[in-house]
Amino acid sequence: MCGIVAAAARREVSEILLEGLRRLEYRGYDSAGMALIDNEHNLQLHKQQGKVCELEKAQKLRPHLGCTGIAHTRWATHGEPSGVNAHPHISGQRIALVHNGIIENHMRLREELMAQGYEFASATDTEVVVHLLHRALEGGKSLLKAMQDTVGRLDGAYALAAIDVDHPDQVVAARKGSPLVIGIGIGENFLASDQLALRQVTDRFIFLEEGDVVLISPSTLQIFDQAGAPVERKKSLISEAVEVADLGGFDHYMLKEIHEQPRALAATFAQAANYPGIDECFGAGAGAVFDRVKAVQIVACGTSFHAGMVARYWLEELAGIPCQVEVASEFRYRKRVTHADTLLVTVSQSGETADSLAALRNAQPGEFVASLVVSNVANSSLVRDSDLVFLTKAGMEIGVASTKAFTTQLVGLLMLTVALGRRSSMSEQKQQDVLAALRGLPEYVQQTLELNDDIERLSEAFIPKHHALFLGRGIQYPIAMEGALKLKEISYIHAEAYPAGELKHGPLALVDDDMPVVAVAPSDDLLEKLKSNLEEVRSRGGELFVFADRQAGFKSEARVQVLPMPHCPEVIKPIVYTVALQLLSYHVALQKGTDVDKPRNLAKSVTVE
Ligand code: AGP
């Protein structure tokens, strides 16, 4: 999604800005731009639809130089992807501004500004902000005061950074609802929407808080809170090495990340080896919190929501702990009744998903015992705002389609089940069985990866299709949901998941000889029920693709293809079967020729509502 990089230095910063944008590229965007104040105090602007490398080409052809600048990658919300709608937006040839987020009252502000003679070049919500800033500056306000007044007029979410030719060595910025971090240099300061963009120039950061307005110059750094009072914010030193994005011989990041799962799962579970009590894997004080927990509320989006759905089966069946799961975009706006002693658990690969963050922040004081996040990104907003943290060790995930992040989330949630279960009805033996299954998990995932060629062959049948159904029962239903999401996300085939028992209540009407039906069918307690549901499909001409272990007793025959899965402990089957479905969607997408790693319209980190 949108990315911001800004610099106030005594050296030329265009290459720093471009490198910052490159580091944010994997998040998904459709246009890029950069504005600098040159030595003669003129505003220099490059912006266009397309990739950062196009911006780089433009910069090489017609270099813009300057020591103060802002840059942006845009993921369109208001107004189509185009050069005109790309950021920075400018006003009066003196101010340039970049914005992440959505200004909800932009229509009203646009009318107000147009009535005063402001002309709009773009269809964006952002352009009102730069004109508001211009109006305040022309009215004699300082750069800081102009930004404070401007944000006072805005409803919605924003991270903003702006430069003004009349204040040629300063960048003014503000945040509410979208992340923004200061990078502290020596004789220079920086801003970005993610510290990753600035690791090229510093390892010292200040994560801004809600409502903060900040003014940086090469030698100064001033932060003001929502009320306008100067504040000090905590400085953080981030010293772990930056992971370098590298295909490592694979054709796509998604395929690489699928194949990294044995290592990522082992690394995630290895945290338990350091903390045999498991509690400590969730941070200091986790044990005391867990002692009080009587129920769990999980909130997440997309694939992370599916991880929460799986966890509900584990928490209720293995630990006897009541658990509710809800998508964050609904949870955050719903009037709800929360049972006493409930633990709020957010699940988020990026730790920056706007709806999940809002769900956490909207929790009423005292509503939950504590908040816990399962995330893959240390220092992310959700990690910083939560009481307890489980960090998955998936490593950087570049592919928009989440793979290793999902399966490592499941490991974290199963470890949480054990941590809570040992305080309730989970026997010592059961706890040991689960931990032993987790220890063996990488090997079963490796065996599943070795089915790659069989899955590739099976995937061919999906190429001409426009629709697909995914079926599962019990804990495999969320895995069917995840399989359907993966397929639609990267192959653009419309796919829906149903708990197989629901088929006859409607979706069966869709089944004909043109409808592939994928069944997640390991041998388990619900297998016979699932088999009856699959017969309903067969007798209506549907073509079945069954992912099952030998013990389930399926045989390939006319209109039934069985993919023989490894037989593994029951509790880890959801994780192992997920891997096969990831490979299925990858191969379908590959043969359809879609952009596997950057599917259309999607972004890696969804920082807008
Ligand atoms: C997964 O393949 C998707 N790209 C998407 O559903 C994702 O899981 C969702 O946006 C939530 O992201 P998060 O885990 O970073 O919060």
Side-chain angles (χ1 to χ4, degrees), residues 140-163:
K141 303 265 168 69
S142 69
L143 190 54
L144 173 72
K145 187 73 178 89
M147 181 56 98
Q148 285 170 326
D149 284 5
T150 297
V151 296
R153 297 293 315 278
L154 306 179
D155 294 336
Y158 51 79
L160 301 164
I163 51 175

Side-chain angles (χ1 to χ4, degrees), residues 67-123:
C67 302
T68 308
I70 54 176
H72 193 260
T73 45
R74 173 177 188 254
W75 185 82
T77 58
H78 295 62
E80 59 175 13
S82 69
V84 172
N85 289 332
H87 301 206
H89 291 281
I90 58 169
S91 188
Q93 282 309 316
R94 64 173 286 192
I95 306 159
L97 174 133
V98 291
H99 165 221
N100 289 359
I102 291 175
I103 305 302
E104 288 169 359
N105 57 340
H106 71 103
M107 286 305 287
R108 199 155 29 82
L109 293 169
R110 183 180 273 251
E111 281 163 21
E112 176 186 317
L113 287 157
M114 283 173 74
Q116 292 171 353
Y118 279 95
E119 286 177 9
F120 282 76
S122 77

Side-chain angles (χ1 to χ4, degrees), residues 301-304 347-353 356 382 400-403 409 482 485-486 489 602-606:
C301 302
T303 285
S304 298
V347 185
S348 174
Q349 185 282 131
S350 62
E352 299 293 353
T353 301
S356 303
L382 273 160
V400 163
S402 193
T403 52
Q409 284 168 352
E482 175 59 11
L485 179 66
K486 284 290 91 91
E489 202 174 13
L602 299 180
K604 183 66 187 162
S605 180
V606 185

